[in-house]
Amino acid sequence: QSVLTQPPSVSAAPGQKVTISCSGSSSNIGNNYVSWYQQFPGTAPKLLIYDNNKRPSGIPDRFSGSKSGTSATLGITGLQTGDEADYYCGTWDSSLSAGVFGGGTKLTVL
Amino acid sequence: EVQLVQSGAEVKKPGESLRISCKGSGYSFTSYWITWVRQMPGKGLEWMGRIDPSDSYTNYSPSFQGHVTISVDKSISTAYLQWSSLKDSDTAMYYCARASGYGNDYWGQGNLVTVSS
């Protein structure tokens, strides 16, 4: 059971928008920055969002992040079939003194 | 170019020891923590622990504390993850990543560890 809770799967049509939620607590999301990762099968994860809403260079602005209280959200607009992947949220947990990840969300672009 | 290059796939028997490595290049190795992440077959990412290469200070997830050891040799820009006695349940892909602020921005290619009798 992951410390951070994500929906197992989401789906949307090409061109549409999708959001992926990540729910935690005051010991993790509530008081620390959130990052988001994209992972294709058989490859290493890739950083999409850091510090709640910042994009590394090279990440298109179709990807956005936000945080409110003890929850965070990844938004993807203009969905493409190439966005089909697993998405993970991550943050620091001050009670555990350790990093934590969500269980991951599989995005299907119908 | 920032790179983290991990050592190759390993096949081990239960009870054996193992050390896998992660060599950083293209940046100041001692300026960024190195994180280790486990991914069991078909499962999600699990944060195992991290090390500060400048002073070898470590944090471990409670789930992994006492079962693995994270170390570093800053003279060769290499971090290590080691087990003294492997279990079948250690079969997984292991990734190292560079921790930058509040995100892991560069990742190694992964080490597949298979433990089987």
Side-chain angles (χ1 to χ4, degrees):
Chain A
Q1 197 78 351
S2 301
V3 172
L4 306 179
T5 301
Q6 297 181 234
S9 63
V10 296
S11 62
Q16 297 300 304
K17 174 181 178 178
V18 72
T19 59
I20 297 173
S21 61
C22 176
S23 178
S25 68
S26 59
S27 67
N28 41 66
I29 292 178
N31 284 285
N32 292 287
Y33 288 104
V34 176
S35 53
W36 288 91
Y37 304 87
Q38 176 189 59
Q39 186 181 34
F40 296 107
T43 69
K46 176 183 179 181
L47 180 66
L48 284 180
I49 298 289
Y50 67 100
D51 290 3
N52 299 334
N53 55 17
K54 296 181 174 61
R55 290 186 310 276
S57 61
I59 301 300
D61 60 6
R62 299 188 300 108
F63 295 90
S64 64
S66 64
K67 189 182 97 166
S68 178
T70 60
S71 293
T73 302
L74 173 70
I76 311 173
T77 59
L79 276 172
Q80 304 171 0
T81 56
D83 295 330
E84 283 202 341
D86 293 322
Y87 293 83
Y88 296 90
C89 57
T91 188
W92 184 257
D93 190 295
S94 304
S95 294
L96 297 174
S97 291
V100 289
F101 288 107
T105 299
K106 182 175 181 61
L107 169 64
T108 301
V109 181
L110 302 167
Chain B
E1 178 194 8
V2 174
Q3 283 191 308
L4 294 174
V5 178
Q6 299 185 232
S7 48
E10 302 274 359
V11 179
K12 291 288 190 178
K13 291 181 166 45
E16 291 186 333
S17 62
L18 174 65
R19 188 177 77 167
I20 61 177
S21 66
C22 168
K23 183 174 177 58
S25 63
Y27 71 100
S28 174
F29 186 71
T30 54
S31 297
Y32 297 85
W33 293 67
I34 293 290
T35 299
W36 285 95
V37 176
R38 182 176 79 173
Q39 188 167 39
M40 299 178 76
K43 302 299 184 182
L45 306 177
E46 298 176 90
W47 194 95
M48 300 178 71
R50 66 175 186 175
I51 189 164
D52 180 347
S54 68
D55 62 6
S56 296
Y57 181 81
T58 54
N59 290 114
Y60 290 94
S61 165
S63 299
F64 293 94
Q65 178 87 47
H67 186 56
V68 299
T69 301
I70 297 172
S71 60
V72 68
D73 185 340
K74 61 184 179 182
S75 70
I76 55 172
S77 301
T78 300
Y80 301 98
L81 178 66
Q82 67 182 68
W83 297 257
S84 59
S85 181
L86 286 160
K87 304 176 183 177
D88 288 350
S89 57
D90 292 319
T91 294
M93 181 70 81
Y94 294 87
Y95 294 102
C96 65
R98 189 182 83 162
S100 175
Y102 291 92
N104 296 293
D105 59 353
Y106 287 90
W107 294 66
Q109 82 277 20
N111 270 99
L112 180 60
V113 174
T114 303
V115 184
S116 175
S117 53

